[in-house]
Amino acid sequence: MTSPGVRTETADGVALVTLDRPDRHNALDLATADELAAIWRELRFDDTVRAAVLTGAGGRAFCTGLDRSTDVPQPASPFSLDDPLLRIGPKANDLWKPVLAAVEGMACGGAFYLLGEAEFLIAAEDATFFDPHTTYGMVSAYESILMAQRMPHGEIARLALMGTAERLGARRAHAVGLVSELTPPGAAAETALRRAAVLAAQPTEAVQGTVRALWAAKEATRAQALAHAPQLIALGNLPPERQAALFAARPRTTTAAAPPPVR
């Protein structure tokens, strides 16, 4: 399975799903979001696949969320919000085969929709996590809710509230439990594939049942929290033109305007 934005390879019971837009830091446009959702649905019916690894191409980024150049039409009703990233995760598409995330480089913003639905994360030592929403006048709702189930409250609060001023390094992410294993740079996907091969060698019914049981342990509180997200976004987001102005005025990474230090 291959598309302009996603590449899939399968071997020995494991599917390697690669976000393949390295020139855009693997940000998702609408076509890529649709293709990613379609891949998870296809894997539900592929009995040769018993586990999956999700990663990003190029080494500079796992995923940086929704591509800022993407236009997402919205209904006029204040009671409706169309979020194309709500359907990109494996659980959102009823896939209960285990999915591991292999993170190299940046993982930020909308990438948390994917990380929040992975069984566990493996990250390179130079990976970084951040959430730019508040800096650009947006509420971090879905992202924060999903990551709050993977991190201590104070850690995700700091990450979400400080916007682009905060960078969570892989070592700190490992220390707080977001990341389960660290690797040298460039080795996250290879390591995740080895871990996924172990999962694929187990009886798949037992593995999928365990995945479903673990998810059930947090599903009720997650559903209640996510139900509030559309209203919080509608109330707290700046108008799109003001968001765009803030984004356009962001400092570029230069010696004079370096990114914040990684903790």
Side-chain angles (χ1 to χ4, degrees):
M1 294 175 281
T2 302
S3 78
V6 189
R7 179 163 33 92
T8 305
E9 308 157 69
T10 302
D12 301 323
V14 177
L16 175 62
V17 180
T18 305
L19 301 175
D20 197 14
R21 303 185 77 221
D23 58 320
R24 301 294 295 174
H25 289 147
N26 298 317
L28 304 172
D29 58 9
L30 297 184
T32 305
D34 287 343
E35 181 62 20
L36 190 55
I39 286 170
W40 301 133
R41 292 194 296 271
E42 288 181 40
L43 292 180
R44 291 176 64 215
F45 294 96
D46 188 343
D47 291 339
T48 68
V49 172
R50 299 179 294 281
V53 171
L54 175 64
T55 194
R60 295 177 62 194
F62 168 77
C63 176
T64 53
L66 187 67
D67 193 321
R68 290 287 305 189
S69 66
T70 297
D71 180 37
V72 182
Q74 295 293 334
S77 170
F79 303 102
S80 298
L81 174 68
D82 285 349
D83 185 340
L85 300 189
L86 283 175
R87 61 180 184 268
I88 63 172
K91 308 300 185 299
N93 290 280
D94 202 31
L95 178 69
W96 300 102
K97 298 174 183 180
V99 177
L100 311 186
V103 180
E104 299 272 358
M106 296 181 291
C108 66
F112 295 171
Y113 287 74
L114 294 167
L115 299 183
E117 293 198 7
E119 269 46 77
F120 54 88
L121 281 56
I122 293 172
E125 292 171 340
D126 58 354
T128 58
F129 304 82
F130 63 100
D131 188 350
H133 278 74
T134 56
T135 299
Y136 302 130
M138 295 179 286
V139 175
S140 177
Y142 292 108
E143 297 85 356
S144 293
I145 290 168
L146 290 167
M147 296 298 274
Q149 297 190 307
R150 308 202 77 112
M151 302 170 65
H153 177 85
E155 293 292 333
I156 184 55
R158 177 171 172 162
L159 195 67
L161 293 171
M162 292 187 68
T164 59
E166 180 74 358
R167 294 289 191 277
L168 180 68
R171 290 190 179 278
R172 179 63 181 169
H174 182 257
V176 302
L178 174 62
V179 169
S180 71
E181 183 175 358
L182 295 175
T183 75
E190 178 185 352
T191 302
L193 286 169
R194 290 200 300 271
R195 307 298 175 249
V198 173
L199 301 180
Q202 316 283 9
T204 188
E205 294 85 355
V207 170
Q208 291 187 53
T210 303
V211 169
R212 191 68 184 88
L214 290 167
W215 193 254
K218 59 184 180 179
E219 198 165 31
T221 54
R222 174 181 177 272
Q224 287 184 329
L226 291 177
H228 293 286
Q231 292 81 11
L232 297 173
I233 292 169
L235 287 170
N237 273 17
L238 292 179
E241 61 273 13
R242 290 187 61 191
Q243 295 178 29
L246 288 171
F247 186 76
R250 71 196 188 281
R252 301 292 182 171
T253 301
T254 66
T255 54
V262 175
R263 68 179 179 97

